[in-house]
């Protein structure tokens, strides 16, 4: 393994990250055969690029466990807790159309560093927020940092591994980042119980700093074909439309029954998205590549991604409320139970990395969605029984999620132009965030409605049932549109 790339100022002349002329025109990562030879080992690259995703996963699961305590401290209703859980996804969805273009133009390594720095500062602000509005403001900046980290982290990893090692390395990437997912409920539950909910926002800071240092060992490749002007207008229009859409979804879940504001936001979102089409058609380098919508495989992947992200995020939100508000468990016990749902994720990611060859990805992802649907139906049916009864389906949700999060990344990488890897992965992250907000809003609204009629347990179980059933169309889409296995040679 060679030394760090771009580690000192003296190396800048030979560092593509600091000297754009060192990157050949049209290059998006150099010769694939040279990537593993000139950079760190694939496992080191995967671990470094996994920091951003791991921190996002930690934040999501730790905050989910902390919601009841946070709500009591700040006097928040279920609707307010929906906002706490969904604000980062809302902000990320608004920034993602711009983040991929920034990575393509200025470099994915630089974008990852900035994202880690913004995220670290935002969680520090969240840890001292004295009120719900200020906490939500801090989480907006968390979402902006996540939007910079996730697609550009995956694109940076793509530029530092050979094509032959890609599937296995991305499986490792998911497995390493899953440490954050596993640590979130466990550490979050203990921290909330012993130190209070504010302490969970301090954990990511040192890891963000380590991630920034780790990127010094990674080579950067930027796409010289993106040297033209950034599509600021398209990014602004798309971000505004997504923010309005996500805002309307959250507002529809409010328990006061007033949907006027939500309806207005939804209408405004439709109008903004309608304006996006002519804006992007006139752009020389559009932030949102509308031509991809003519690719049925790409559309099928994105619809499936939205469905199962709505299920996993909304389902976790409901499970946390069910365990603490209905079953009466504390934060530590809830964290341990949710931990069960995360243990299987690294194994799912590794399985995908090993088996995602040819048409195997089609069967793996369709099978994982089927398992996910069955698992949430079982959790709904057994939610009020002994905890041992729901342990197995919760474990299966994590395993299926590991397969899907690794598989959809590989599927998109096989669909988009290599010169627009960061933008393509930004679209994937964007759809994940919109799906997360959709799940929290729709499934959370069932809980809020049930709370109004004093049937909290029934509402939460109905939400879990809906979570399981809603992903079934994704199975049909992937089986129909993803590539089938190549015929074996005689």
């Amino acid at each position: 393994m060679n030394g760090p790339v771009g580690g000192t100022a003296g190396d800048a002349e030979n560092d593509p990250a600091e000297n754009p002329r060192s990157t050949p025109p049209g290059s998006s990562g150099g010769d694939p055969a040279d990537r593993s030879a000139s950079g760190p080992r694939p496992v080191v690259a995967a671990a470094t690029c996994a920091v951003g995703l791991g921190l996002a996963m930690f934040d999501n699961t730790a905050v989910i466990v902390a919601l009841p305590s946070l709500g009591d401290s700040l006097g928040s209703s279920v609707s307010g807790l929906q906002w706490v859980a969904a604000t980062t996804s809302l902000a990320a969805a608004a920034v993602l159309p711009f983040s991929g273009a920034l990575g393509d133009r200025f470099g994915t390594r630089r974008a990852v560093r900035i994202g880690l720095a913004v995220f670290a500062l935002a969680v520090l602000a969240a840890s001292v927020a004295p009120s719900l509005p200020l906490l939500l403001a801090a989480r907006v900046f968390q979402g902006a940092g996540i939007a910079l980290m996730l697609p550009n982290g995956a694109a940076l990893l793509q530029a530092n591994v050979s094509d032959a090692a890609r599937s296995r390395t991305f499986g490792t990437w998911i497995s390493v980042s899953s440490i954050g997912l596993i640590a979130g409920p466990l550490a979050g539950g203990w921290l909330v119980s012993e130190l209070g909910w504010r302490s969970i926002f301090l954990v990511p800071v040192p890891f963000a700093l380590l991630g920034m240092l780790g990127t010094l060992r990674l080579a950067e490749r930027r796409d010289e074909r993106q040297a033209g002007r950034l599509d600021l207008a398209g990014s602004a229009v798309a971000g505004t439309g997504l923010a309005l859409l996500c805002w309307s979804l959250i507002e529809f879940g409010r328990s006061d029954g007033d949907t006027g504001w939500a309806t207005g936001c939804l209408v405004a979102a439709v109008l903004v998205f309608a304006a996006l089409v002519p804006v992007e058609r006139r752009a020389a380098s559009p932030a949102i590549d509308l031509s991809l919508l003519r690719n049925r495989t790409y559309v099928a992947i994105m619809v499936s991604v939205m469905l199962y992200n709505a299920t996993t995020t909304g389902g976790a939100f409901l499970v946390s409320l069910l365990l603490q508000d209905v079953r009466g468990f504390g934060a530590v016990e809830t964290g341990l139970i949710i931990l069960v749902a995360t243990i299987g994720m690294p194994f799912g990611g590794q399985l995908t990395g090993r088996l995602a060859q040819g048409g195997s990805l089609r069967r793996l992802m369709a099978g994982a969605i089927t398992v996910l649907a069955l698992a949430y139906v079982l959790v709904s049916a057994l939610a009020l029984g002994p905890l041992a009864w729901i342990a197995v389906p919760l474990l299966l949700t994590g395993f299926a999620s590991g397969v899907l999060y690794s598989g959809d990344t590989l599927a998109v990488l096989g669909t988009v132009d290599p010169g627009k890897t960061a933008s393509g992965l930004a679209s994937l992250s964007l759809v994940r965030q919109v799906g997360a907000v959709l799940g929290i809003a729709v499934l959370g609204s069932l809980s809020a409605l049930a709370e109004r009629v004093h049937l909290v347990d029934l509402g939460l179980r109905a939400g879990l049932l809906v979570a399981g059933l809603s992903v079934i169309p994704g199975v049909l889409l992937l089986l129909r549109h993803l590539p089938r296995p190549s015929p074996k040679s005689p």
Side-chain angles (χ1 to χ4, degrees):
M1 181 174 66
N2 296 335
V5 178
T8 64
D11 295 330
E13 184 178 353
N14 297 320
D15 185 2
E18 307 300 333
N19 183 6
R21 291 175 296 176
S22 67
T23 305
S27 172
S28 62
D31 186 347
D34 294 338
R35 295 178 194 169
S36 59
S38 60
R41 294 178 181 178
V43 67
V44 176
T48 300
C49 293
V51 172
L53 180 57
L55 292 179
M57 289 181 172
F58 174 88
D59 177 80
N60 178 58
T61 52
V63 169
I64 287 291
V65 172
L67 284 176
S69 175
L70 187 154
D72 291 340
S73 173
L74 299 180
S76 175
S77 63
V78 172
S79 176
L81 297 182
Q82 284 179 271
W83 277 109
V84 173
T87 296
T88 51
S89 296
L90 172 61
V95 176
L96 275 166
F98 192 59
S99 69
L102 283 175
D104 284 337
R105 167 102 190 249
F106 296 110
T108 53
R109 186 173 71 173
R110 182 174 297 171
V112 169
R113 289 175 182 170
I114 295 173
L116 287 167
V118 170
F119 186 83
L121 292 173
V123 293
L124 282 174
S127 70
V128 296
S131 64
L132 182 63
L134 291 177
L135 175 61
L136 295 179
R139 289 185 63 75
V140 166
F141 285 95
Q142 281 186 252
I146 289 172
L148 287 171
M149 291 189 297
L150 298 195
N152 291 299
L156 183 60
L157 178 58
Q158 165 81 350
N160 280 270
V161 297
S162 66
D163 290 342
R166 184 172 69 179
S167 293
R168 187 181 296 270
T169 303
F170 271 90
T172 302
W173 172 65
I174 286 292
S175 297
V176 174
S177 63
S178 298
I179 295 174
L181 187 71
I182 294 171
L186 185 61
W190 183 83
L191 288 170
V192 169
S193 176
E194 298 297 324
L195 302 176
W197 63 267
R198 297 180 185 276
S199 61
I200 65 173
F201 292 109
L202 298 175
V203 174
V205 176
F207 295 98
L209 296 176
L210 288 174
M212 294 172 67
L213 292 174
T215 59
L216 295 174
R217 300 187 62 85
L218 301 181
E220 173 127 272
R221 298 295 187 269
R222 66 188 73 174
D223 186 5
E224 294 296 327
R225 292 173 294 178
Q226 305 298 320
R229 296 181 62 184
L230 290 172
D231 181 21
L232 298 177
S235 297
V237 173
T240 301
L242 287 167
L244 288 169
L245 174 62
C246 295
W247 194 303
S248 69
L249 293 174
I250 291 292
E251 285 297 307
F252 274 120
R254 290 180 64 88
S255 60
D256 56 14
D258 183 6
T259 60
W261 176 245
T263 302
C265 287
L266 182 59
V267 172
V270 172
L271 295 175
V272 171
F273 280 129
L276 178 65
V277 176
V279 169
E280 294 301 84
R281 284 179 176 173
R282 289 195 299 267
S285 300
I288 304 295
D289 191 351
L290 299 178
S291 65
L292 285 173
L293 297 179
R294 295 194 292 268
N295 184 327
R296 293 184 178 181
T297 299
Y298 178 84
V299 172
I301 294 169
M302 291 300 159
V303 172
S304 300
V305 167
M306 181 177 293
L307 290 175
Y308 60 70
N309 273 273
T311 288
T312 54
T313 307
F317 177 81
L318 296 182
V319 167
S320 178
L321 294 182
L322 177 73
L323 292 174
Q324 296 185 68
D325 291 347
V326 176
R327 299 294 300 269
F329 293 108
V332 174
E333 293 88 349
T334 299
L336 289 171
I337 297 166
I338 293 179
L339 174 65
V340 174
T342 66
I343 291 175
M345 190 170 181
F347 299 101
Q350 282 295 317
L351 177 67
T352 305
R354 293 176 181 275
L355 301 182
Q357 303 293 332
S360 298
L361 187 60
R362 169 179 173 269
R363 295 193 297 266
L364 277 173
M365 292 186 68
I369 295 177
T370 303
V371 170
L372 189 67
L374 178 61
Y376 272 106
V377 170
L378 288 175
V379 171
S380 172
L382 304 174
L384 300 183
L387 290 180
W389 291 4
I390 64 172
V392 172
L394 284 177
L395 183 65
L396 291 176
T397 63
F399 179 81
S401 297
V403 172
L404 293 170
Y405 291 148
S406 182
D408 58 25
T409 303
L410 293 172
V412 169
L413 287 173
T415 301
V416 301
D417 177 4
K420 294 185 178 181
T421 298
S423 295
L425 291 171
S427 297
L428 173 62
S429 295
L430 184 152
V431 172
R432 285 174 175 168
Q433 301 303 326
V434 173
V437 175
L438 176 65
I440 293 172
V442 174
L443 299 179
S445 68
L446 291 176
S447 171
L449 178 62
E451 185 178 20
R452 291 173 60 193
V453 295
H454 308 291
L455 292 173
V456 177
D457 58 336
L458 181 60
L460 292 172
R461 295 175 66 188
L464 290 168
L465 178 62
V466 171
L469 297 178
S470 63
V471 294
I472 294 176
V475 178
L476 304 177
L477 285 171
L478 294 181
L479 287 176
R480 180 176 178 82
H481 294 289
L482 282 188
R484 295 178 180 274
S486 303
K488 295 183 179 179
S489 302

